[in-house]
Amino acid sequence: MRVLLKATMDTERANEAIRSGKMPELMKEALDHLKPEAAYFGALGGRRTALLFLDMRDSSELPAMGEPFFTQFDAEVEVSPIMNGEDLRKGLSQLR
């Protein structure tokens, strides 16, 4: 199942990672571990946020998805099922 992982980082923890020079390394580790289909980063609601699009094959993968962000950035993590256009067409065809 395709999911969106939204990690909203604690400002102070992210500032520490930037000041120490560890932010690029920590992000690379998280992305290498999670292998997202796509990853976007920006300031949402005034806080550093990562939006990762992932393929979750089993719900047992859920704990490991959020851990890099919980442990490194004290982040608020949300995971939501999402669809691409093909998924939406397939789902809508089942409504008939």
Side-chain angles (χ1 to χ4, degrees), residues 1-4 37 53-63 65 79-81:
M1 173 189 333
R2 185 173 286 108
V3 298
L4 167 63
E37 292 177 12
F53 298 86
L54 307 158
D55 181 28
M56 185 171 71
R57 291 181 204 94
D58 187 89
S59 59
S60 65
E61 297 174 27
L62 196 53
M65 285 181 171
V79 178
S80 304

Side-chain angles (χ1 to χ4, degrees), residues 3-90:
V3 298
L4 167 63
L5 182 147
K6 177 183 175 187
T8 305
M9 295 170 232
D10 175 74
T11 300
E12 189 52 40
R13 289 286 297 271
N15 285 347
E16 289 172 18
I18 288 172
R19 283 192 287 268
S20 71
K22 291 184 179 181
M23 179 68 89
E25 175 188 335
L26 294 172
M27 278 298 162
K28 182 180 182 324
E29 287 176 11
L31 296 176
D32 287 349
H33 171 72
L34 295 171
K35 298 175 181 43
E37 292 177 12
Y40 298 94
F41 306 90
L44 299 179
R47 295 174 62 197
R48 292 177 186 94
T49 303
L51 301 170
L52 308 179
F53 298 86
L54 307 158
D55 181 28
M56 185 171 71
R57 291 181 204 94
D58 187 89
S59 59
S60 65
E61 297 174 27
L62 196 53
M65 285 181 171
E67 281 310 311
F69 299 100
F70 288 133
T71 58
Q72 298 298 329
F73 303 108
D74 196 21
E76 294 174 14
V77 177
E78 299 173 44
V79 178
S80 304
I82 57 167
M83 298 179 283
N84 63 17
E86 183 180 324
D87 297 332
L88 179 61
R89 280 188 295 280
K90 182 178 176 181

